[in-house]
Amino acid sequence: MAASAPYSLVIQHAAQVLTLAGGPTGRPLAGPDLGRWRIIENGYVACVGDTIAAVGPMAELDAARLTPATRTLDASGRVVLPGLVECHTHLVFGGNRAHEFERKLRGESYLDILASGGGILSTVLATRAASGGELLANALQHLEGFRRYGVTTVEAKSGYGLDRDTELRLVRVAAEAGRCQPVRVVPTFLGAHVVPPEFKAAGPAAYADFLLREVLPELRGEAEFVDIFCEEGAFPLNVARRYLEQARALGFGLKIHAEQLHDLGGCEMAAGLGAISVDHCDYLTPAAAGRIAQQTQGRTVAVLLPLVPLFLRQETYAPGRAFIDAGLPVAVSTDFNPGSCPSKNLWLALSVACLKMGLTPTEAVAAATLNAAWAINRAADCGSLEPGKRADVLVLNLGSVAEIPYWLGENPVRDVVIGGALQ
Ligand code: NIG
Ligand code: FE
């Protein structure tokens, strides 16, 4: 882009531009920096093609770069911020689990339902029975829902196939869904979600070996990350460690579902192997969070999923405030999936992160933009409003950052711009 190229799009007169810029570069925001980035009053964001060209106060807008072809969006009285980044979803699945909702209301726990052959396993049956076309249509419908909430990048895990062909199909459907519409999709392989019925007798280690041998090698270049559910009733710590070590040796980035329902030490183990994120963390202690922050020099992100304990009727939420105070970078995501969070409302997740995990409004916004981008290795091109990044920009029907988590459950989005194009 020439330094003086005319602007193709200018979003102007914003009451507040939440830039997410101004913190230390090269790593996720942590500690006091999480809530201390630059907000510009009466500001603008200018784009050239699919890229952000300039961000600043209106007084500094370069009028010479506005031409008759420049499209302008008036954001008077509104908040402008980067497109939201969803760094943890289970986007592709068949069926739904509405039938289990009442079992849960009667008091059955998540792990009880799973142990009885329901839960994740019931979605596995529905997913195996669905055609590729049906799975793609469902994924596209969910992506459309995310886009309406202003989510412009979505990580998408496999994990409801649990056999070679279906798992490969889920990763490929996620990638295909990303190519069919504007929201960017980042596929993750979660074949190690639970042990499928076919491996029940052989056990978790044998199933993990099967994945390493028969499935992972096929996904090089297609799935960027490998994830595993380390939990009672899923994969024990020693199996998870060995699996992630081998996945790393095959060249994959690492993630883990850990400390969701019990403290098994999965987060510390995965962070020690260089995991880009450790996810759930409801039972992660502040002391362990501090050790992870130190050991990884603030590079591993704890992805907090506050709608999950809410939907599973649990009292224990990740102590997000204590994690931040211990220097651990945090992100917030929905965990969209048919079992533990059938919601794509990341704004609601931000509100619950404030109410139940102790985040402030500015911290919550950073957790669903720049730090979420770090959690999926996309911070170089999204998550903040800075020249050179992809022009993913939202205009909200709100006047200040403080209102974002306040309007509980609303969708505040007025405009969604992805790659410089108004959707
Ligand atoms: O992140 N905890 C494991 N996996 C998902 C839930 C999947 C499901 O219940 O279908 C989660 O919560
Ligand atoms: Fe999950």
Side-chain angles (χ1 to χ4, degrees):
M1 183 204 321
S4 58
Y7 294 144
S8 48
L9 172 70
V10 177
I11 302 162
Q12 55 187 1
H13 303 297
Q16 293 187 336
V17 177
L18 313 185
T19 66
L20 279 300
T25 51
R27 59 189 154 83
L29 297 177
D33 293 328
L34 186 66
R36 219 170 37 189
W37 33 268
R38 184 168 179 226
I39 297 178
I40 301 170
E41 312 272 334
N42 191 23
Y44 76 93
V45 178
C47 315
V48 174
D50 63 2
T51 305
I52 297 172
V55 181
M58 283 306 290
E60 292 174 13
L61 175 61
D62 182 357
R65 296 179 74 179
L66 288 142
T67 71
T70 304
R71 177 162 196 178
T72 56
L73 269 185
D74 179 37
S76 306
R78 321 273 167 163
V79 167
V80 168
L81 78 165
L84 299 187
V85 177
E86 255 294 358
C87 61
H88 180 139
T89 84
H90 305 248
L91 180 74
V92 191
F93 56 86
N96 68 60
R97 304 233 287 277
H99 56 283
E100 286 175 4
F101 188 68
E102 288 187 51
R103 285 175 69 178
K104 209 162 46 179
L105 295 182
R106 284 196 297 268
E108 279 190 76
S109 78
Y110 184 75
L111 288 181
D112 289 344
I113 293 173
L114 178 62
S116 74
I120 294 172
L121 293 170
S122 100
T123 299
V124 169
L125 291 182
T127 303
R128 287 179 179 176
S131 68
E134 285 165 342
L135 293 171
L136 180 62
N138 287 350
L140 288 173
Q141 194 193 330
H142 294 312
L143 284 173
E144 160 74 13
F146 274 122
R147 188 171 58 77
R148 278 194 253 117
Y149 279 123
V151 173
T152 52
T153 300
V154 171
E155 185 256 16
K157 301 175 195 299
S158 70
Y160 293 117
L162 310 185
D163 61 35
R164 180 183 169 283
D165 289 355
T166 317
E167 282 297 320
L168 292 178
R169 187 184 316 144
L170 294 178
V171 170
R172 289 169 184 161
V173 163
E176 175 65 9
R179 290 188 288 269
C180 292
Q181 51 70 62
V183 175
R184 179 175 34 194
V185 174
V186 177
T188 289
F189 179 67
L190 178 61
H193 199 177
V194 292
V195 178
E198 297 80 4
F199 278 84
K200 200 164 178 193
Y207 177 59
D209 282 344
F210 156 79
L211 293 175
L212 288 164
R213 213 176 43 241
E214 312 266 336
V215 192
L216 256 72
E218 300 235 19
L219 286 172
R220 269 188 282 216
E222 293 191 64
E224 194 163 327
F225 305 105
V226 165
D227 196 342
I228 185 166
F229 184 21
C230 180
E231 184 53 73
E232 289 179 13
F235 294 87
L237 187 69
N238 61 336
V239 174
R241 178 186 290 113
R242 191 170 165 276
Y243 181 72
L244 291 179
E245 279 168 354
Q246 307 271 321
R248 184 177 62 175
L250 288 169
F252 293 96
L254 306 182
K255 290 177 166 284
I256 192 165
H257 282 64
E259 273 71 84
Q260 178 183 356
L261 304 164
H262 301 93
D263 184 358
L264 302 186
C267 292
E268 241 181 307
M269 177 278 290
L273 295 178
I276 195 157
S277 74
V278 294
D279 299 38
H280 285 281
C281 309
D282 295 307
Y283 284 81
L284 180 67
T285 64
R291 289 195 296 273
I292 292 171
Q294 282 237 311
Q295 186 188 14
T296 67
Q297 295 176 332
R299 286 206 157 61
T300 297
V301 178
V303 176
L304 311 181
L305 307 165
L307 298 183
V308 174
L310 179 72
F311 195 74
L312 297 186
R313 308 180 77 201
Q314 289 168 202
E315 301 304 324
T316 305
Y317 287 74
R321 175 82 267 132
F323 293 172
I324 296 165
D325 294 344
L328 185 62
V330 302
V332 170
S333 166
T334 57
D335 193 14
F336 173 67
N337 73 75
S340 66
C341 182
S343 172
K344 297 183 272 285
N345 191 343
L346 186 49
W347 304 103
L348 179 63
L350 296 188
S351 298
V352 180
C354 293
L355 293 166
K356 302 296 266 188
M357 296 177 168
L359 276 67
T360 66
T362 48
E363 288 172 342
V365 168
T369 52
L370 188 54
N371 273 15
W374 275 106
I376 52 172
N377 196 26
R378 289 296 184 283
D381 64 355
C382 67
S384 64
L385 299 176
E386 295 178 270
K389 286 204 178 184
R390 196 168 88 134
D392 294 350
V393 191
L394 309 180
V395 182
L396 304 186
N397 281 316
L398 307 172
S400 76
V401 64
E403 287 185 59
I404 289 178
Y406 165 76
W407 295 107
L408 189 65
E410 288 223 10
N411 180 5
V413 172
R414 190 192 79 179
D415 302 309
V416 180
V417 171
I418 303 181
L422 183 63
Q423 301 300 306

